[in-house]
Amino acid sequence: MAVFYLASADFDVDHRDVAAQKVLLRERMAGLGWLTPDILAHLDDTPDFYLDQVAQVVMDRWSSGRVGLLGDAAFSSSPMSGQGTGLALVGAYLLAGELAAAGWDPDTGFTRYEARMRSFVEANQEIGRLNARSRDVPGPDPEPAPEPRPDFAGEWFTELVGRAINGVELPDYAGVPDSATPTGSPITSSARP
């Protein structure tokens, strides 16, 4: 198995055109040395070639009316952040809890959900962007990088990682009415013998 990362502001290859994807990969990886020529020599024999663009979803808001977005649909941080599943699980917990705490009023619930999640999401998205920039390896004819490689030695990075890991409070929603209980009614349960 081989995994290649390459920066490409003009990634314009149809996801169904595998032949064009292989041409792009060969062009971008030409001249890199090491085992690259040997790996590329097996490109046409591989039964499970896959090439895709790594992207993020960055939106001004995650809801409109009674429709709210969650997980990658709202705030994909990209595989480069390593936080997609974590963000989705935390987001689902907060979205359900805030909607319930708001008596299932979408405007209030969505606003509270986003207020709790926004900084956490933005920190994880920035981690993804930093990771992508740190992996950018110039090809044989390097173009000037749009941004310098990040310097991870500063306090800014420690603060960013702190927000990305611990940047959201998970309230205890115990006692919040569920969707089957009218707002204001206590939730009760009984055990049957």
Side-chain angles (χ1 to χ4, degrees), residues 168-188:
V168 67
E169 177 190 347
L170 297 177
D172 183 357
Y173 292 111
V176 172
D178 68 22
S179 62
T181 306
T183 304
S185 299
I187 296 176
T188 60

Side-chain angles (χ1 to χ4, degrees), residues 20-184:
Q21 293 173 9
K22 290 179 179 180
V23 167
L24 172 70
L25 188 60
R26 280 189 174 102
E27 288 172 357
R28 292 300 305 268
M29 305 312 278
L32 288 183
W34 188 62
L35 297 176
T36 305
D38 295 335
I39 294 168
L40 292 176
H42 295 284
L43 207 50
D44 291 325
D45 301 331
T46 183
D48 57 357
F49 175 81
Y50 180 77
L51 178 72
D52 199 359
Q53 187 174 22
V54 174
Q56 287 186 333
V57 174
V58 179
M59 300 178 74
D60 293 334
R61 45 189 277 223
W62 305 328
S63 66
S64 179
R66 297 183 57 82
V67 175
L69 299 176
L70 175 66
D72 284 354
F75 42 72
S76 171
S77 56
S78 92
M80 300 301 283
S81 76
Q83 290 298 318
T85 301
L87 286 171
L89 290 171
V90 169
Y93 177 81
L94 291 174
L95 177 58
E98 293 301 327
L99 282 170
W104 303 100
D105 173 58
D107 288 336
T108 303
F110 290 153
T111 298
R112 290 177 183 170
Y113 151 68
E114 186 166 335
R116 287 193 181 276
M117 282 290 291
R118 181 60 73 170
S119 177
F120 181 54
V121 165
E122 288 173 349
N124 280 284
Q125 288 178 328
E126 183 60 23
I127 295 279
R129 289 188 291 271
L130 287 169
N131 190 13
R133 283 199 307 270
S134 73
R135 291 173 180 262
D136 186 22
V137 177
D141 299 319
E143 298 175 15
E147 297 181 44
R149 286 192 176 184
D151 174 16
F152 297 110
E155 258 184 60
W156 69 272
F157 185 65
T158 303
E159 190 274 334
L160 177 66
V161 170
R163 277 193 312 126
I165 295 171
N166 303 309
V168 67
E169 177 190 347
L170 297 177
D172 183 357
Y173 292 111
V176 172
D178 68 22
S179 62
T181 306
T183 304

